[in-house]
């Protein structure tokens, strides 16, 4: 695994530093005292997440047989002690923090070690050891000092979403791993719940029948995550940077809303609330088990606190949203269709839930950071998807299906004088740049914020710079606040200074075979103090 510039290379020998013992407090059974693994227990890679000024959370999962049908990953029903180290160099000559934690069977022998006591705005390297097996080396950077000691001049990150494993190769992640970034934001659809097909789609593999059907049980979700995380390009991007993640719909089921499932006629009793809540609990647990999330994000049954705020000095406050768990059901039976204006505009309807909405507006209003960036799932901008000016056709799963909630969001930003709000969006499998206005139907209405919607990593297979949907959206006079569209696959790179934000849309020409090159399809600038994007 080769990663350029400041990146990691291979593994290194472990030091003899004394390691403290930390108990996860879950498994009361006897420990596996002398682990001996039939294969590499780190086959799913390593990761770091949610950086703060003094640390981050470290993740791995012990799984020498990741696709074992019992979903145990080839591990016994016993807890295992895992040592971790953090160093200032990739050869671990200067270890600055170390410790031990338990990998327990209740959490699929995943590890979530929350590291503190590090210096702000510094690069660190980390690794794990258990039973003599040493993990690959990962890299993560701490956030700048929130007290503003030392004014952060700039930060760079990338955001991505929608990585359907069987519809494309993760070549874009290999390119992302070679970028000069400080962290990565993932906006959802890390996993797809659908069956992978007889040949695993474009991957050309034969898998057990359990992978051919939709995921419902904890074992099925676990094995689908394991299948996804075996991809070495995805592992490279995780190992290169700390990730900040939130979910969208496919981590559980397409277009779910709160406790309401999508009725898809597959024979599973999704319409039964209790059955769907049980499915959610399984999906949420598997999500936590496979990603670098902190303890506050650990689910309690079918509930989890995914929305949270991360600060990067005086430059950036990142508001991570969960627009699935607390929303009302979509009107009109979901989908894209005309009508339902009264239902969409119902002031009682919510996208974020009252508590999260209040948390977001109050927090953004108090923020002293130069930029307030939202990690958001579905498109905020109004989009008439029918080019006929006499017909308004709306995507009812997007914020267009919750227009009163959108009005509260944008009006709240405007009235509170929120500093430079920018929305990052996934979900739609296409890139869109939009001005977010107080009133989308009034050309004179002020622009409140800028939205950068990013394309999918692979979902939808090979894309194109323009397609029928894009032509419809950009028809003259239909959506004048939309500035740009592209339907190729890839990710978006963001660079922030106190003066400006630059967004570069990095795309690959194909994903249905590996090895695609990467290029920049479009670049945009937002000036601090002036909402709206300028194309470069």
């Amino acid at each position: 695994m080769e990663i350029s510039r400041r990146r990691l290379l291979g593994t290194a020998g472990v030091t003899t530093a004394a390691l403290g013992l930390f108990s996860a407090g879950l498994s009361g059974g006897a420990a596996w005292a002398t682990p001996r693994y039939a294969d590499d227990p780190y086959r799913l890679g390593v990761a770091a997440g949610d950086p703060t000024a003094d640390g981050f959370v470290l993740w791995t999962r012990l799984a020498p047989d990741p696709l074992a049908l019992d979903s145990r990953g080839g591990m016994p029903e016993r807890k295992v002690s895992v040592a971790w180290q953090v160093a200032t160099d990739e050869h671990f000559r200067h270890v600055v923090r170390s410790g031990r934690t338990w990998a327990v069977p209740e959490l699929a022998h995943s590890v979530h070690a929350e590291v503190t006591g590090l210096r702000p705005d510094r690069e660190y390297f980390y690794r794990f050891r258990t039973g003599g097996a040493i993990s690959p080396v990962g890299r993560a950077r701490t956030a700048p000092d929130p007290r503003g000691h030392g004014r952060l001049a700039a930060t760079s990150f990338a955001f991505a979403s929608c990585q359907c494993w069987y519809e494309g190769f993760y070549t874009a992640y290999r390119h992302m791993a070679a970028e000069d970034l400080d962290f990565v934001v993932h906006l959802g659809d890390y996993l797809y719940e659908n069956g992978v097909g007889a040949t695993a789609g474009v991957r050309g593999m034969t898998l057990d029948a359990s992978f051919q059907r939709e995921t419902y049980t904890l074992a099925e979700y676990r094995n689908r995550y394991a299948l996804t995380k075996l991809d070495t390009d995805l592992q490279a991007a995780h190992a290169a940077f700390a990730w900040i993640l939130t979910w969208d719909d496919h981590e559980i089921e397409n277009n779910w809303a709160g406790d309401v499932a999508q009725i898809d006629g597959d024979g599973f009793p999704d319409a039964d609330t209790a059955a769907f809540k049980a499915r959610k609990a399984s999906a949420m647990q598997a999500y936590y088990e496979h990603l670098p999330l902190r303890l506050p994000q650990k689910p309690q049954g079918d509930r989890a606190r995914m929305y949270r705020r991360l600060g990067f000095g005086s430059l950036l406050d990142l508001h991570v949203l969960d627009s699935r768990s607390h929303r009302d059901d979509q009107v009109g039976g979901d989908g894209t269709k005309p009508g339902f204006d009264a239902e969409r505009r119902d002031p009682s309807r919510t996208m974020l839930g009252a508590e999260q909405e209040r948390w977001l507006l109050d927090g953004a209003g108090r923020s002293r950071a130069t930029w307030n960036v939202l990690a958001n799932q579905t498109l905020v901008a109004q989009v008439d998807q029918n080019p006929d000016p006499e017909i308004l056709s709306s995507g009812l799963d997007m914020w267009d299906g919750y227009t009163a909630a959108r009005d509260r969001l944008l009006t709240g930003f405007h009235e509170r004088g929120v500093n430079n709000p920018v929305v990052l969006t996934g979900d739609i499998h296409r890139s869109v740049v939009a001005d977010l206005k107080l009133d989308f139907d009034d050309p004179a209405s002020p622009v409140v914020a800028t939205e950068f919607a990013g394309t999918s990593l692979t979902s939808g297979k090979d894309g194109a710079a323009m397609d029928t949907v894009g032509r419809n959206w950009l028809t003259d006079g239909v959506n004048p606040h939309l500035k740009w569209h592209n339907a190729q696959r890839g990710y978006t790179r963001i660079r922030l200074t106190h003066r400006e934000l630059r967004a570069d849309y990095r795309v690959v020409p194909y994903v249905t075979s590996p090895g695609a090159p990467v290029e920049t399809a479009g670049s945009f600038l937002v000036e601090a103090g002036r909402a709206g994007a300028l194309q470069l």
Side-chain angles (χ1 to χ4, degrees):
M1 183 184 302
E2 292 186 2
I3 301 176
S4 65
R5 296 183 182 175
R6 300 179 295 168
R7 304 300 169 249
L8 51 119
L9 290 171
T11 62
V14 70
T15 72
T16 57
L19 303 178
L21 186 65
F22 171 76
S23 173
L26 283 173
S27 185
W32 192 12
T34 56
R36 293 293 182 268
Y37 302 105
D39 203 339
D40 178 10
Y42 304 107
R43 291 182 62 193
L44 301 182
V46 299
D50 277 20
T52 63
D54 74 336
F56 30 71
V57 58
L58 302 180
W59 173 92
T60 192
R61 179 191 168 196
L62 305 182
D65 185 7
L67 302 184
L69 296 184
D70 62 6
S71 80
R72 295 176 182 175
M75 294 292 291
E77 286 293 298
R78 301 169 71 180
K79 62 185 180 183
V80 181
S81 178
V82 180
W84 55 265
Q85 290 180 313
V86 176
T88 58
D89 66 297
E90 61 189 290
H91 300 295
F92 290 80
R93 296 188 182 96
H94 305 286
V95 175
V96 293
R97 287 290 181 273
S98 59
R100 285 187 181 272
T101 188
W102 291 111
V104 299
E106 293 91 336
L107 293 177
H109 291 96
S110 61
V111 171
H112 297 78
E114 299 193 21
V115 181
T116 59
L118 302 178
R119 299 181 65 186
D121 197 23
R122 294 291 189 278
E123 176 182 270
Y124 291 95
F125 298 86
Y126 62 89
R127 66 184 177 188
F128 301 89
R129 182 182 64 176
T130 175
I134 303 170
S135 77
V137 177
R139 169 200 174 268
R141 190 175 191 88
T142 53
D145 193 324
R147 295 165 295 184
H149 299 319
R151 184 176 170 86
L152 179 66
T155 192
S156 297
F157 65 92
F159 72 89
S161 65
C162 305
Q163 54 187 53
C164 186
W165 177 86
Y166 53 85
E167 288 196 336
F169 290 88
Y170 292 162
T171 310
Y173 275 139
R174 178 64 60 169
H175 292 299
M176 181 190 288
E179 300 268 14
D180 187 12
L181 306 173
D182 296 313
F183 59 93
V184 169
V185 177
H186 196 280
L187 300 175
D189 293 349
Y190 191 98
L191 182 79
Y192 277 71
E193 80 281 17
N194 313 105
V196 303
T199 63
V202 303
R203 300 279 180 154
M205 298 170 57
T206 301
L207 297 168
D208 180 78
S210 61
F211 292 93
Q212 312 305 319
R213 57 179 179 263
E214 193 167 334
T215 51
Y216 293 105
T217 68
L218 178 58
E220 289 168 345
Y221 280 108
R222 280 176 171 172
N223 276 3
R224 200 64 57 87
Y225 276 105
L227 182 65
T228 301
K229 293 185 76 68
L230 280 169
D231 186 278
T232 56
D233 291 341
L234 175 61
Q235 289 185 22
H238 269 298
F241 317 105
W243 282 39
I244 301 166
L245 300 109
T246 185
W247 53 44
D248 191 18
D249 53 341
H250 287 287
E251 287 88 352
I252 297 174
E253 180 186 46
N254 181 52
N255 286 7
W256 66 281
D259 289 334
V260 181
Q262 181 187 59
I263 309 304
D264 52 16
D266 59 5
F268 190 83
D270 285 351
D272 184 299
T273 299
F276 182 61
K277 291 177 73 172
R279 181 183 186 182
K280 280 174 60 183
S282 294
M284 289 178 176
Q285 178 174 332
Y287 182 85
Y288 177 79
E289 290 171 347
H290 289 85
L291 293 170
L293 297 167
R294 293 181 179 271
L295 190 59
Q297 279 63 64
K298 183 178 180 294
Q300 303 296 318
D302 67 319
R303 296 288 185 267
R305 172 71 179 253
M306 287 303 297
Y307 64 89
R308 59 206 190 274
R309 185 176 295 112
L310 292 95
F312 294 83
S314 61
L315 183 60
L316 166 66
D317 277 345
L318 180 67
H319 311 268
V320 182
L321 304 186
D322 175 2
S323 65
R324 286 290 165 191
S325 299
H326 312 284
R327 67 158 72 187
D328 288 311
D329 192 16
Q330 299 92 342
V331 300
D334 204 355
T336 299
K337 58 192 70 170
F340 301 99
D341 284 352
E343 295 91 338
R344 293 190 303 119
R345 300 180 188 278
D346 183 345
S348 69
R349 286 176 52 74
T350 182
M351 173 68 89
L352 302 177
E355 180 182 339
Q356 182 179 188
E357 187 176 300
R358 184 168 51 251
W359 164 87
L360 172 59
L361 291 176
D362 290 349
R366 290 192 301 266
S367 171
R368 292 186 174 184
T370 300
W371 299 92
N372 281 272
V373 175
L374 276 61
N376 164 68
Q377 288 74 56
T378 59
L379 197 66
V380 174
Q382 176 178 293
V383 177
D384 183 352
Q385 303 198 37
N386 192 316
D388 186 337
E390 302 299 320
I391 302 175
L392 173 62
S393 182
S394 302
L396 301 176
D397 183 59
M398 302 188 295
W399 285 77
D400 265 345
Y402 303 78
T403 58
R406 177 172 62 200
D407 290 345
R408 291 194 299 271
L409 174 72
L410 298 179
T411 301
F413 284 170
H414 184 67
E415 292 179 345
R416 288 167 172 79
V418 173
N419 292 336
N420 301 306
V422 172
V423 180
L424 310 180
T425 295
D427 180 66
I428 58 173
H429 303 177
R430 58 191 64 247
S431 300
V432 174
V433 179
D435 290 343
L436 299 181
K437 301 166 68 71
L438 277 183
D439 183 350
F440 288 99
D441 298 321
D442 179 4
S445 181
V447 177
V448 175
T450 308
E451 182 168 23
F452 292 105
T455 186
S456 64
L457 202 288
T458 58
S459 302
K461 298 184 178 179
D462 296 338
M466 185 55 69
D467 60 7
T468 300
V469 171
R471 284 187 285 270
N472 289 344
W473 287 17
L474 295 183
T475 298
D476 285 347
V478 176
N479 299 296
H481 51 280
L482 300 187
K483 300 294 190 70
W484 186 75
H485 170 277
N486 181 286
Q488 293 172 291
R489 308 295 168 230
Y491 57 92
T492 309
R493 183 179 63 204
I494 302 289
R495 178 174 172 81
L496 289 164
T497 70
H498 287 281
R499 296 182 57 186
E500 62 188 30
L501 178 153
R502 176 175 174 140
D504 296 310
Y505 282 91
R506 304 280 283 162
V507 301
V508 293
Y510 53 87
V511 296
T512 51
S513 58
V518 67
E519 65 180 6
T520 299
S523 297
F524 294 83
L525 197 71
V526 181
E527 298 175 349
R530 182 179 178 182
L534 304 172
Q535 187 166 8
L536 299 176

